[in-house]
Amino acid sequence: MPAKRVIKIVALGALCVGLLYRLFPLVTGAPYLAEFFITEDGYLMLTVARNMALGLGMSVSEGTIQTNGVQPMMTFVFAWGYVAAAGDKMLGLYVIHGIMAAWAVAGFFLVRAFASRIMTGLGEPADWGWLVAALWFLGPLMTRHTMNGLETGGYVALVVLLLLQFHRVLTLGADASVAAQLWLGAVAGLAFMMRNDAVFLIIPVFALWAGDSLLRQRFGYFAMLRRIAPAGLVTLAIAAPWLVNNQLRFGSIVPVSGTAQSFGAPLGGNLTLLPAKLFETMFPMLPIPGAFETSPVIIAIGSLASAAILGFFLFRLARHAPTPLILTVVAYLAFAVALTTYYGVYFGAPHFLARYFAPLSPLLLTAGLVALLWLARRLGAAWLPSAVACVSLCVSGALLLRPLVPRFEGHMHFQVVEWVAANVDAATWVGAVQTGTLGYWHDRTFNLDGKVNPEALAMRREVGTVLPYVVESEIDVIADWVGVAGWATQEIGGFSAAFELIVEDAEANLAVLRRVVGN
């Protein structure tokens, strides 16, 4: 059987395995449907999406608090899922899993197209693009990220689609139709609406398009503007309603979730994590245990491996690829630099870095394969890429099974959900710092870290703590991880007099405080 056909068969096999894995909660139901893939922040988005479907607008806390603390496009898509489920929480999760799996499959074929275009431009067989797509789709990190209840899978798909359309417009040059140019602007706008940090890709795309029009294609300045300005206006038309809404209703074009996660973050606090996260994104079958991510050895290995492979990839690109392909990759690399700088230097939430870097995975995987193909030729080992690919896919498959063996341990927030369900009636207001999972299952829940609650965020920024807000609110019960037990001794705003600690269970990672009668 020809090698090209084998690569395609293996890749399609990986697609089938990865798709079945993503959809197995639909067959098994609880607890996997509610607890296996959906993350804490995913539940925040699903809560807002369900409220939109119920006619409560973009809100949380039973519709009483309006929020912009989510990414708009996927929230809107998920809202239609809850419309189809008539607002039912469990039935809605079935639909949501299907939507996320569909986006992931779209991502598989878009990544394949992108990687194949790179391979062709470098004189490699285009069929290797199927392998990149298989590694992306079956990799444990991307499997989880594309099914997390957030925008990640759709975002990767739109980032790659934007790059593919950018390459097409550059390749067509003067022959690029108005429709192709406007479609580029539309995809840029949709990517921004899928996740706002797409602006870090949109800016270099339009800048490089303008430069290419002036310098390579020799358009005059006004001719360049006639080509690019309409596409830019389409992008702005798609993005503007969200930006205007944020500014007028919340006082900033940046969503409250971004402000909340940046609040109090030390400058450069995530820099030591970057090498490990980039290494894992480039080699999805080689996850690094959290305890070792910031060790000097891992920092050195991650930095050297990423720099060497990307450096070699760029060297080959500069020597062999046509200009449109080079400019497309330069835009992608500018996006990568902006993401790593922003999230490494200015942002908090280090536990989310792997998700934030997910859009870089197609580029890093492709660069790694290009380096491997070159190494195989230098060693005279034509079998090496296929062998590495098979081992990598097998290791990825084994890692996907790890959370299920010997048994699935459950969601890290469901002990809070279960305690509230057993001890608090539906009419009681509950507060928590982490309210994604709890807020989905208990409608009357106030968010206290400000990610979807502008009032709580304003209190944190004004006085440095949310406790006075809690005392003045309708909250009668606070339930969260065990660390919240420390609030019981805090006197700020009269908190210690207003609330008493009733549960502190370190083993279950659960603490509960209750409002003192009369307060």
Side-chain angles (χ1 to χ4, degrees):
M1 185 179 296
K4 294 181 179 180
R5 191 172 180 183
V6 172
I7 293 172
K8 191 175 296 186
I9 290 173
V10 169
L12 291 175
L15 173 65
C16 292
V17 171
L19 183 58
L20 289 173
Y21 187 85
R22 284 169 168 84
L23 295 179
F24 88 85
L26 303 186
V27 178
T28 56
Y32 298 100
L33 184 66
E35 300 186 47
F36 191 71
F37 283 124
I38 311 296
T39 64
E40 166 74 4
D41 276 23
Y43 270 120
L44 282 176
M45 181 175 282
L46 297 186
T47 300
V48 176
R50 180 173 173 272
N51 280 354
M52 291 173 67
L54 295 176
L56 300 175
M58 191 169 275
S59 68
V60 291
S61 304
E62 208 176 40
T64 62
I65 296 178
Q66 296 298 305
T67 187
N68 67 343
V70 291
Q71 301 297 334
M73 182 175 170
M74 190 59 88
T75 307
F76 182 77
V77 171
F78 286 158
W80 283 106
Y82 283 101
V83 169
D88 184 86
K89 293 178 180 179
M90 284 299 294
L91 181 58
L93 291 181
Y94 281 93
V95 182
I96 297 304
H97 276 73
I99 291 173
M100 292 187 294
W103 274 108
V105 171
F108 172 90
F109 288 102
L110 287 167
V111 170
R112 196 280 314 167
F114 172 80
S116 294
R117 204 160 294 184
I118 295 288
M119 294 297 171
T120 300
L122 294 177
E124 303 284 1
D127 295 274
W128 285 114
W130 286 98
L131 178 58
V132 173
L135 291 169
W136 176 84
F137 193 75
L138 203 61
L141 280 177
M142 285 312 305
T143 298
R144 293 202 304 272
H145 291 328
T146 56
M147 297 296 294
N148 57 11
L150 290 162
E151 72 287 341
T152 315
Y155 186 39
V156 175
L158 285 180
V159 162
V160 176
L161 180 60
L162 174 57
L163 289 162
L164 287 169
Q165 185 61 19
F166 179 48
H167 178 259
R168 179 169 177 262
V169 168
L170 292 180
T171 301
L172 290 172
D175 295 327
S177 66
V178 173
Q181 296 167 28
L182 294 180
W183 177 235
L184 174 61
V187 175
L190 292 174
F192 177 84
M193 293 296 283
M194 185 65 82
R195 185 168 173 85
N196 297 170
D197 60 20
V199 68
F200 294 139
L201 176 60
I202 295 169
I203 290 173
V205 161
F206 275 88
L208 289 167
W209 187 13
D212 182 68
S213 297
L214 290 171
L215 301 177
R216 183 177 69 92
Q217 300 184 42
R218 300 293 183 181
F219 290 114
Y221 180 76
F222 290 104
M224 177 271 291
L225 286 181
R226 283 195 298 270
R227 292 167 58 82
I228 293 177
L233 290 173
V234 170
T235 302
L236 186 60
I238 294 173
W242 177 247
L243 298 175
V244 171
N245 168 76
N246 292 346
Q247 184 63 48
L248 294 182
R249 300 186 66 188
F250 301 96
S252 172
I253 62 173
V254 178
V256 295
S257 54
T259 304
Q261 291 183 162
S262 298
F263 182 74
L267 192 67
N270 292 335
L271 284 176
T272 56
L273 284 170
L274 294 185
K277 296 306 180 184
L278 291 174
F279 182 89
E280 289 179 323
T281 306
M282 183 178 286
F283 302 102
M285 73 299 297
L286 298 174
I288 299 172
F292 301 104
E293 287 181 333
T294 57
S295 73
V297 173
I298 294 299
I299 291 175
I301 292 174
S303 300
L304 291 173
S306 301
I309 290 174
L310 280 174
F312 173 77
F313 174 66
L314 291 176
F315 174 75
R316 283 214 60 197
L317 203 73
R319 291 194 62 183
H320 302 290
T323 299
L325 187 60
I326 293 174
L327 293 177
T328 301
V329 173
V330 168
Y332 208 160
L333 285 171
F335 178 50
V337 170
L339 283 184
T340 53
T341 301
Y342 180 64
Y343 290 116
V345 176
Y346 301 107
F347 213 70
H351 44 289
F352 292 145
L353 281 186
R355 172 164 64 86
Y356 296 152
F357 294 159
L360 306 182
S361 55
L363 172 66
L364 297 178
L365 281 167
T366 303
L369 182 57
V370 168
L372 179 62
L373 291 172
W374 175 86
L375 180 63
R377 279 196 297 272
R378 290 299 299 268
L379 296 176
W383 53 269
L384 183 62
S386 299
V388 171
C390 290
V391 171
S392 298
L393 291 173
C394 289
V395 171
S396 292
L399 289 172
L400 290 177
L401 294 176
R402 187 175 60 180
L404 302 173
V405 179
R407 63 182 180 84
F408 174 51
E409 295 181 357
H411 194 288
M412 64 177 63
H413 291 274
F414 251 77
Q415 74 278 21
V416 183
V417 174
E418 290 166 353
W419 190 94
V420 170
N423 297 279
V424 179
D425 62 73
T428 298
W429 283 99
V430 177
V433 176
Q434 305 170 104
T435 55
T437 311
L438 177 60
Y440 182 86
W441 297 103
H442 184 84
D443 294 329
R444 290 198 162 193
T445 300
F446 278 116
N447 169 257
L448 301 180
D449 67 1
K451 286 177 73 172
V452 291
N453 185 346
E455 297 173 2
L457 178 59
M459 181 63 71
R460 285 184 64 203
R461 299 179 73 177
E462 181 180 342
V463 301
T465 177
V466 77
L467 298 185
Y469 169 81
V470 177
V471 173
E472 296 299 323
S473 72
E474 301 175 74
I475 295 171
D476 287 322
V477 174
I478 298 171
D480 209 320
W481 284 354
V482 71
V484 81
W487 286 10
T489 60
Q490 299 295 313
E491 298 180 1
I492 300 174
F495 186 86
S496 60
F499 284 84
E500 60 180 341
L501 180 66
I502 62 171
V503 175
E504 185 177 9
D505 188 341
E507 184 176 350
N509 195 17
L510 172 68
V512 180
L513 298 94
R514 181 176 58 197
R515 187 180 289 272
V516 176
V517 176
N519 286 281

